[in-house]
């Protein structure tokens, strides 16, 4: 039975790189946002540890079953839906865990958009 299971191991380094870059970019965004408490940076890393692997895995899982000329718009829509879910989940975590954070929803949106667009830029370089 196990011999029929195919695991694409290439996804693990991709997920590791994505998570590392996301944490770095979102912690930098937090610094620019005016966040200075070390525990707030730890919170940013922990929240991304929860959301980033799920988003990346879901994106590649969706993409593995899609092909053809319409796949580009479909994958863009899937990426946007996954990002919205991550923004919402992270904002709820920030609001719950750090009662003093200014505008957790706006911070979550800003940090996620920064990491998303910087990630797209890095992907285009390679």
């Amino acid at each position: 039975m196990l011999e029929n299971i195919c695991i694409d191991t290439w996804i693990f380094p991709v997920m590791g790189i994505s998570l590392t870059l996301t944490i770095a970019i979102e912690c930098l965004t937090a610094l620019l946002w005016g966040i200075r408490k070390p525990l707030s940076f730890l919170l940013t890393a922990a929240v991304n540890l929860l959301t980033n692997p799920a988003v990346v895995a879901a994106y590649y899982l969706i993409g593995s079953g899609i092909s053809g000329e319409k796949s580009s718009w479909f994958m863009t829509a899937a990426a946007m839906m996954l990002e919205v879910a991550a923004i919402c989940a992270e904002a709820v975590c920030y609001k719950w865990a750090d009662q003093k954070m200014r505008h957790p929803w706006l911070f979550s949106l800003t940090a996620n958009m920064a990491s998303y667009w910087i990630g797209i830029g890095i992907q285009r370089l390679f």
Side-chain angles (χ1 to χ4, degrees):
M1 179 149 178
L2 288 177
E3 64 274 356
N4 292 332
I5 297 175
C6 176
I7 297 175
D8 289 327
T9 56
W10 62 268
I11 188 100
F12 297 118
V14 169
M15 290 177 79
I17 292 167
S18 175
L19 179 61
T20 302
L21 286 172
T22 298
I23 290 172
I25 293 164
E26 293 199 19
C27 282
L28 179 60
T29 304
L31 191 62
L32 294 172
W33 193 261
I35 294 171
R36 300 287 186 264
K37 295 185 296 184
L39 283 177
S40 295
F41 292 106
L42 185 60
L43 174 61
T44 300
V47 164
N48 280 286
L49 189 59
L50 292 172
T51 59
N52 182 269
V55 168
V56 173
Y59 180 80
Y60 282 104
L61 185 61
I62 291 167
S64 69
I66 304 298
S67 64
E69 62 189 55
K70 295 184 179 184
S71 65
S72 177
W73 73 266
F74 185 83
M75 291 307 296
T76 300
M80 291 302 109
M81 289 175 24
L82 290 166
E83 284 298 321
V84 167
I87 290 165
C88 292
E90 290 180 18
V92 167
C93 289
Y94 290 134
K95 188 171 175 69
W96 176 78
D98 189 351
Q99 303 290 319
K100 294 181 182 178
M101 179 183 267
R102 293 178 305 128
H103 312 290
W105 288 89
L106 187 57
F107 172 70
S108 181
L109 174 67
T110 304
N112 276 278
M113 289 298 94
S115 64
Y116 177 81
W117 288 111
I118 292 170
I120 293 292
I122 290 171
Q123 284 180 350
R124 292 194 176 162
L125 291 175
F126 297 99

